[in-house]
Every structure is written in structure tokens, then in C-alpha cells.
Amino acid sequence: MGAGIAELCALNGLDVRLAVSRPASLESAPRRLAASLDRRVAKGRLTPEGRDAALAAVSVGTDLGDLADRELVVEAVVEDEAVKLAVFSTLDKVVEPDAILASTTSALSITRLAGVVQHPGRVLGVHFFNPVAVLDLVELIPTLLTDESVCRRAEEFVTALGKKPVTVGDRSGFVVNALLIPYLLAAIRMVESGYSSAESVDQAMESGCAHPMGPLKLADFIGLDVVAAIAEALHAESRQPLHAPPPLLSRMVEAGILGRKSGRGFHSYA
Ligand code: CAA
């Protein structure tokens, strides 16, 4: 998500600083960005000059201190509340008081993230969708404490990127994941119970409902660890059985079978 958001910002003329969590990403992140921009050039949708400008607009480092002069920071670390809280706590000390601190969390409470920040009025959720380049929606999630001016600036930011913002309440899953995750979990339970194969479930929803990908392919695409983490967060808030991760999903995550990114999920990506 971080790579997709950085690319989108750079293509829209913004000065982007990418703080990566692993030193190996110092080399791989610019390579990945260049490869993605090259694909746009090959399709005739970007000039070579536009690619060079976008590449030059993104600098990469590992130190959150490098973000000190940013007007807006979008946190996109792993979907783990303790990790996100630590990042927010550091950002609060590093970034100027009038800068916006945004999170791309899919299901964690924005209010709790704002709780570790001195001025919680500057915190809100800015939730992009994967692939960032393709999907228009961005959910904007103000808390009860978010400043009106911060909401307005975040909406201007998202609109300037060519995305369609919708403002939603700070409830686990917001709108999209509150509706999407129970559907994905129901599909996983169908496979778990032997009711249907992953192939048949996906084929049914692709051919029967014109979905671009069936629910098991989509779960693999999102990442099974991410689906499980969102389900846990939804379940912790709602206590409803429909949000509980099915044991099959938990076992797959424990086994490192994480979907597309690990080469294997409900389908194989060898
Ligand atoms: N980055 C950039 N562009 C991409 C891309 C990527 N990762 N993947 C696909 N595309 C582009 C392709 O370049 C292609 O563009 P053009 O038509 O302009 O050439 C277009 O998307 C279609 O791609 P493909 O022909 O390769 O493949 P497809 O038609 O099967 O589409 C898909 C692939 C766009 C991923 C489509 O299957 C899709 O939209 N799936 C649903 C995705 C979805 O529901 N995402 C939401 C997940 S939930 C989430 O993100 C939030 C959360 O908190 C978990």
C-alpha cells in the first residue's frame, strides 16, 4: 500500500519521502517504483520525462526523523496496533504540530492511534484500496476529536490525487471492510466445510455476480494475514460470530500460507 500511495503522489507532482521499515527496501523500493513507472511508459500512458520526474520526486530512507518537514504523513505499516501506536508516538515528536498524521489501517481504531498523539485533532484515517493505481475510493475517517480543517485538507489531498473520498465513522472496518470481510470469511467457511472448492466459489461469484475476482482470489490478493488481522479487529469490536476468523484461515496464516505474496493461498501462484 505504501509503495502504491507513494507512486500515486509522485505522479501527481507531490514531493514524497518514503520511510521504509527494512534496510533491504532502500534498494528494492526505488527499483519497484521504477518498474511500475516503466510499465506506464510502455503502455503509452506516461512520457519518459514524466517517469523521470516521478522517480526524482521520491526519496527513500529508514529514519522517521527524515519526515520532520512533511505536511502530511500517511502511516502504512503492518496491521498491528502496537506497531502502529509506536510509529504514531514517534511521528508526533518528529513532525511539526500543524502536519496531518494519517493512517491507512483497514480496521483498527483511529481514535486509539490518536490517543498517543499530543494533538489528536491532527489524526484521521485515510484508507486507500489495493491496487491503489486502479481503485478510485479513499475512505476518510475522522474521529470525534479530528479538527474540521484537517478533514478539509485531507479531502483536498485525496481529490487532488484523482480519488473519490467518502467520509465514514470510526468503526472497525469502516464501510468497505465491514461489508467485505464477512463475505470473504463466509467463502472461506464454504471451502473449510467441503461445501465447495475455492475454484467453484470464485467461478460462481465471477460469472454469477460479475465480480472482477472471486472471494478466495481476493483474499489471496489482499493477503491472508491481513484478512485475518482485519477479522480479529472486527470481531474484537462486534463480538459477532460472522466476524470470527475461521480456523482454516488461522492455520494457513500460522503455516505461512499468506496468498499471492507467499506464492500459495487458496490458489497457487508459483
Ligand atoms: N498496480 C497497478 N495497476 C494494476 C495492478 C497493480 N497492482 N493490477 C492491475 N492493474 C491494472 C492493469 O495494469 C490494467 O490496466 P489497464 O487495463 O489500464 O491496462 C488493469 O488494472 C486490469 O488489470 P489486468 O488486466 O492485469 O487484470 P484484471 O482485469 O484481472 O484486474 C484487478 C486486476 C484490477 C486487481 C481486478 O481483478 C480487481 O479490481 N480486483 C478487485 C480488487 C479489490 O477488490 N480490491 C479491494 C481489496 S480491499 C482493500 O484493498 C482494502 C483493505 O483494507 C483490505
Side-chain angles (χ1 to χ4, degrees), residues 197-249:
S197 68
E199 288 73 18
S200 296
V201 173
D202 282 344
Q203 182 66 57
M205 294 311 291
E206 287 165 23
S207 302
C209 292
H211 287 192
M213 46 174 55
L216 286 322
K217 274 189 209 160
L218 183 53
D220 281 352
F221 182 70
I222 293 170
L224 300 184
D225 51 339
V226 176
V227 173
I230 300 172
E232 296 282 8
L234 284 167
H235 189 246
E237 186 154 295
S238 74
R239 314 272 181 209
Q240 291 190 48
L242 87 161
H243 293 137
L248 174 62
L249 176 64

Coordinates of all heavy atoms in Angstrom, one line a residue, residues 197-249:
S197 N -15.4 -26.1 -3.7 CA -13.9 -25.8 -3.8 C -13.7 -24.3 -4.0 O -14.6 -23.6 -4.4 CB -13.4 -26.6 -5.0 OG -13.9 -26.0 -6.2
A198 N -12.4 -23.9 -3.7 CA -12.1 -22.5 -3.9 C -12.4 -22.1 -5.4 O -12.9 -21.0 -5.7 CB -10.6 -22.3 -3.6
E199 N -12.0 -23.0 -6.3 CA -12.2 -22.7 -7.8 C -13.7 -22.4 -8.0 O -14.1 -21.5 -8.7 CB -11.7 -23.8 -8.6 CG -10.2 -24.0 -8.7 CD -9.6 -24.5 -7.4 OE1 -10.3 -25.1 -6.6 OE2 -8.4 -24.3 -7.2
S200 N -14.6 -23.3 -7.5 CA -16.0 -23.2 -7.8 C -16.6 -21.9 -7.1 O -17.4 -21.2 -7.7 CB -16.8 -24.4 -7.2 OG -16.3 -25.6 -7.9
V201 N -16.2 -21.6 -5.9 CA -16.7 -20.4 -5.3 C -16.3 -19.2 -6.1 O -17.2 -18.3 -6.4 CB -16.2 -20.3 -3.8 CG1 -16.6 -18.9 -3.2 CG2 -16.7 -21.4 -2.9
D202 N -15.1 -19.1 -6.5 CA -14.6 -18.0 -7.2 C -15.3 -17.9 -8.6 O -15.8 -16.8 -9.0 CB -13.1 -18.0 -7.4 CG -12.3 -17.6 -6.2 OD1 -12.9 -17.0 -5.3 OD2 -11.1 -17.9 -6.1
Q203 N -15.4 -19.0 -9.3 CA -16.1 -19.0 -10.6 C -17.5 -18.6 -10.4 O -18.0 -17.8 -11.2 CB -16.0 -20.5 -11.1 CG -16.6 -20.6 -12.5 CD -15.8 -19.9 -13.6 OE1 -14.7 -20.1 -13.7 NE2 -16.5 -19.0 -14.3
A204 N -18.2 -19.0 -9.4 CA -19.6 -18.7 -9.1 C -19.7 -17.1 -9.0 O -20.6 -16.5 -9.6 CB -20.1 -19.4 -7.9
M205 N -18.9 -16.5 -8.2 CA -19.0 -15.1 -8.0 C -18.5 -14.2 -9.2 O -19.1 -13.1 -9.4 CB -18.3 -14.7 -6.7 CG -18.9 -15.3 -5.4 SD -20.7 -15.1 -5.3 CE -20.9 -13.3 -5.1
E206 N -17.6 -14.8 -9.9 CA -17.1 -14.0 -11.1 C -18.1 -14.1 -12.2 O -18.5 -13.1 -12.8 CB -15.7 -14.6 -11.6 CG -14.6 -14.2 -10.7 CD -13.3 -15.0 -10.9 OE1 -13.2 -15.6 -12.0 OE2 -12.5 -15.1 -10.0
S207 N -18.7 -15.3 -12.4 CA -19.6 -15.5 -13.5 C -21.0 -15.1 -13.1 O -21.8 -14.7 -13.9 CB -19.6 -16.9 -14.0 OG -18.3 -17.3 -14.4
G208 N -21.4 -15.3 -11.9 CA -22.7 -15.1 -11.4 C -23.0 -13.7 -11.0 O -24.2 -13.2 -11.0
C209 N -22.0 -13.0 -10.5 CA -22.2 -11.6 -10.0 C -21.3 -10.6 -10.7 O -21.2 -9.4 -10.2 CB -22.0 -11.6 -8.5 SG -23.3 -12.5 -7.6
A210 N -20.5 -11.0 -11.7 CA -19.6 -10.1 -12.4 C -18.6 -9.4 -11.5 O -18.2 -8.3 -11.7 CB -20.4 -9.1 -13.2
H211 N -18.2 -10.1 -10.4 CA -17.1 -9.6 -9.6 C -15.8 -9.8 -10.4 O -15.6 -10.8 -11.0 CB -17.0 -10.3 -8.3 CG -18.1 -9.9 -7.3 ND1 -18.1 -10.3 -6.0 CD2 -19.3 -9.2 -7.5 CE1 -19.2 -9.8 -5.4 NE2 -19.9 -9.2 -6.3
P212 N -14.9 -8.8 -10.3 CA -13.6 -8.9 -11.1 C -12.8 -10.1 -10.6 O -12.0 -10.7 -11.4 CB -12.9 -7.6 -10.8 CG -13.5 -7.0 -9.7 CD -14.9 -7.5 -9.6
M213 N -12.9 -10.5 -9.3 CA -12.2 -11.7 -8.8 C -13.1 -12.3 -7.7 O -13.7 -11.5 -7.0 CB -10.8 -11.4 -8.4 CG -10.6 -10.3 -7.5 SD -8.9 -10.1 -6.8 CE -7.8 -10.1 -8.2
G214 N -13.1 -13.6 -7.7 CA -13.9 -14.3 -6.6 C -13.3 -14.1 -5.3 O -12.2 -13.6 -5.1
P215 N -14.1 -14.4 -4.2 CA -13.7 -14.1 -2.8 C -12.4 -14.7 -2.4 O -11.6 -14.1 -1.6 CB -14.8 -14.5 -2.0 CG -15.6 -15.5 -2.8 CD -15.4 -15.1 -4.2
L216 N -12.1 -16.0 -2.8 CA -10.8 -16.6 -2.4 C -9.6 -16.0 -3.1 O -8.6 -15.8 -2.5 CB -10.9 -18.1 -2.6 CG -11.8 -19.0 -1.6 CD1 -11.7 -18.4 -0.2 CD2 -13.2 -19.1 -2.1
K217 N -9.8 -15.7 -4.4 CA -8.7 -15.0 -5.1 C -8.5 -13.6 -4.5 O -7.4 -13.1 -4.3 CB -9.1 -14.8 -6.6 CG -8.8 -15.9 -7.5 CD -9.0 -15.5 -8.9 CE -9.4 -16.7 -9.8 NZ -10.1 -16.3 -11.0
L218 N -9.6 -12.9 -4.1 CA -9.5 -11.6 -3.5 C -8.8 -11.7 -2.1 O -7.9 -10.9 -1.8 CB -10.8 -10.9 -3.3 CG -10.9 -9.5 -2.8 CD1 -9.9 -8.6 -3.6 CD2 -12.3 -9.0 -2.8
A219 N -9.1 -12.7 -1.3 CA -8.5 -12.9 0.0 C -7.0 -13.1 -0.2 O -6.1 -12.6 0.5 CB -9.1 -14.1 0.7
D220 N -6.6 -14.0 -1.2 CA -5.2 -14.2 -1.5 C -4.5 -12.9 -2.0 O -3.4 -12.6 -1.6 CB -5.1 -15.2 -2.7 CG -5.3 -16.6 -2.3 OD1 -5.3 -16.9 -1.1 OD2 -5.3 -17.5 -3.2
F221 N -5.3 -12.1 -2.7 CA -4.7 -10.8 -3.2 C -4.5 -9.8 -2.1 O -3.4 -9.2 -2.0 CB -5.7 -10.3 -4.2 CG -5.3 -9.0 -4.9 CD1 -4.3 -9.0 -5.8 CD2 -6.0 -7.8 -4.6 CE1 -4.0 -7.8 -6.5 CE2 -5.7 -6.6 -5.2 CZ -4.7 -6.6 -6.2
I222 N -5.4 -9.7 -1.2 CA -5.3 -8.8 0.0 C -4.1 -9.3 0.9 O -3.4 -8.5 1.5 CB -6.6 -8.8 0.8 CG1 -7.7 -8.1 0.0 CG2 -6.4 -8.0 2.1 CD1 -9.1 -8.2 0.6
G223 N -4.0 -10.6 1.0 CA -3.0 -11.3 2.0 C -3.9 -11.9 3.1 O -4.7 -11.2 3.7
L224 N -3.7 -13.2 3.3 CA -4.5 -13.9 4.3 C -4.2 -13.4 5.7 O -5.1 -13.4 6.6 CB -4.3 -15.4 4.2 CG -4.7 -16.0 2.8 CD1 -4.5 -17.5 2.8 CD2 -6.1 -15.6 2.3
D225 N -2.9 -13.0 5.9 CA -2.6 -12.5 7.3 C -3.4 -11.1 7.5 O -3.9 -10.9 8.6 CB -1.1 -12.2 7.4 CG -0.5 -11.5 6.2 OD1 -1.1 -11.4 5.1 OD2 0.6 -10.9 6.4
V226 N -3.5 -10.4 6.4 CA -4.2 -9.1 6.6 C -5.7 -9.4 6.8 O -6.4 -8.7 7.6 CB -4.0 -8.2 5.3 CG1 -4.8 -6.9 5.4 CG2 -2.5 -7.9 5.2
V227 N -6.3 -10.3 6.0 CA -7.7 -10.7 6.2 C -7.9 -11.1 7.6 O -8.9 -10.7 8.2 CB -8.1 -11.8 5.2 CG1 -9.5 -12.2 5.4 CG2 -8.0 -11.2 3.7
A228 N -7.0 -12.0 8.1 CA -7.2 -12.5 9.5 C -7.1 -11.4 10.5 O -7.9 -11.3 11.5 CB -6.1 -13.6 9.8
A229 N -6.2 -10.4 10.3 CA -6.0 -9.3 11.2 C -7.2 -8.4 11.2 O -7.7 -8.0 12.3 CB -4.7 -8.5 10.9
I230 N -7.8 -8.2 10.0 CA -9.0 -7.3 10.0 C -10.2 -8.1 10.7 O -10.9 -7.4 11.4 CB -9.4 -7.0 8.5 CG1 -8.2 -6.2 7.8 CG2 -10.6 -6.1 8.5 CD1 -8.4 -6.0 6.3
A231 N -10.3 -9.4 10.4 CA -11.4 -10.1 11.0 C -11.2 -10.1 12.5 O -12.2 -9.9 13.3 CB -11.3 -11.6 10.5
E232 N -10.0 -10.2 13.1 CA -9.8 -10.2 14.5 C -10.2 -8.8 15.1 O -10.9 -8.7 16.1 CB -8.3 -10.4 14.9 CG -7.7 -11.7 14.5 CD -8.1 -12.8 15.5 OE1 -8.9 -12.5 16.4 OE2 -7.5 -13.9 15.4
A233 N -9.9 -7.8 14.4 CA -10.3 -6.4 14.8 C -11.8 -6.2 14.8 O -12.4 -5.7 15.7 CB -9.6 -5.4 14.0
L234 N -12.4 -6.7 13.7 CA -13.9 -6.6 13.6 C -14.5 -7.4 14.7 O -15.5 -6.9 15.4 CB -14.4 -7.2 12.3 CG -14.2 -6.3 11.0 CD1 -14.4 -7.1 9.8 CD2 -15.1 -5.1 11.0
H235 N -14.0 -8.6 15.0 CA -14.6 -9.5 16.0 C -14.4 -8.9 17.4 O -15.3 -9.0 18.2 CB -14.0 -10.9 15.9 CG -14.7 -11.9 16.7 ND1 -14.1 -12.5 17.8 CD2 -15.9 -12.4 16.7 CE1 -14.9 -13.3 18.4 NE2 -16.1 -13.3 17.7
A236 N -13.2 -8.3 17.6 CA -13.0 -7.7 18.9 C -14.0 -6.6 19.2 O -14.4 -6.4 20.4 CB -11.5 -7.2 19.0
E237 N -14.4 -5.9 18.2 CA -15.3 -4.8 18.4 C -16.8 -5.2 18.4 O -17.6 -4.8 19.3 CB -15.1 -3.7 17.3 CG -16.0 -2.5 17.6 CD -15.4 -1.2 17.0 OE1 -14.3 -0.8 17.4 OE2 -16.0 -0.7 16.1
S238 N -17.1 -6.2 17.5 CA -18.6 -6.5 17.4 C -19.0 -7.7 18.2 O -20.1 -7.9 18.5 CB -18.9 -6.8 15.9 OG -18.3 -8.1 15.6
R239 N -18.0 -8.6 18.5 CA -18.3 -9.9 19.1 C -19.3 -10.8 18.3 O -19.9 -11.7 18.9 CB -18.8 -9.8 20.6 CG -18.1 -8.8 21.4 CD -17.0 -9.4 22.1 NE -16.3 -8.4 23.0 CZ -15.0 -8.4 23.3 NH1 -14.3 -9.4 22.9 NH2 -14.5 -7.5 24.0
Q240 N -19.4 -10.5 17.1 CA -20.4 -11.3 16.3 C -19.7 -12.5 15.6 O -18.6 -12.3 15.1 CB -21.0 -10.4 15.2 CG -21.9 -9.4 15.7 CD -22.7 -8.7 14.6 OE1 -23.2 -9.4 13.7 NE2 -22.7 -7.4 14.6
P241 N -20.3 -13.7 15.7 CA -19.6 -14.9 15.1 C -19.3 -14.7 13.6 O -18.3 -15.3 13.2 CB -20.7 -16.0 15.2 CG -21.7 -15.5 16.3 CD -21.6 -14.0 16.3
L242 N -20.0 -13.9 12.9 CA -19.7 -13.8 11.4 C -18.4 -13.1 11.2 O -17.8 -13.2 10.1 CB -20.8 -13.1 10.7 CG -20.8 -11.5 10.6 CD1 -21.7 -11.1 9.4 CD2 -21.3 -10.9 11.8
H243 N -17.8 -12.4 12.2 CA -16.5 -11.7 12.1 C -15.4 -12.6 12.6 O -14.2 -12.2 12.4 CB -16.5 -10.4 12.9 CG -17.4 -9.4 12.3 ND1 -18.2 -8.6 13.0 CD2 -17.7 -9.1 11.0 CE1 -18.9 -7.8 12.2 NE2 -18.6 -8.1 11.0
A244 N -15.7 -13.8 13.2 CA -14.6 -14.6 13.8 C -13.8 -15.3 12.6 O -14.4 -15.8 11.7 CB -15.2 -15.7 14.7
P245 N -12.4 -15.2 12.7 CA -11.7 -15.9 11.6 C -11.9 -17.4 11.7 O -11.8 -18.0 12.7 CB -10.2 -15.5 11.9 CG -10.2 -14.5 13.1 CD -11.6 -14.5 13.7
P246 N -12.3 -18.0 10.5 CA -12.4 -19.5 10.5 C -11.1 -20.1 10.9 O -10.0 -19.6 10.5 CB -12.8 -19.8 9.1 CG -13.2 -18.5 8.5 CD -12.5 -17.4 9.2
P247 N -11.1 -21.3 11.6 CA -9.8 -22.0 11.9 C -8.9 -22.2 10.7 O -7.7 -22.1 10.8 CB -10.3 -23.3 12.6 CG -11.6 -22.9 13.1 CD -12.3 -21.9 12.2
L248 N -9.5 -22.5 9.5 CA -8.7 -22.8 8.4 C -7.9 -21.6 8.0 O -6.7 -21.7 7.7 CB -9.6 -23.2 7.2 CG -8.9 -23.3 5.8 CD1 -7.9 -24.4 5.9 CD2 -9.9 -23.5 4.7
L249 N -8.5 -20.4 8.1 CA -7.7 -19.2 7.8 C -6.6 -19.0 8.8 O -5.4 -18.7 8.4 CB -8.7 -17.9 7.9 CG -8.0 -16.6 7.7 CD1 -7.4 -16.4 6.3 CD2 -9.0 -15.4 7.9

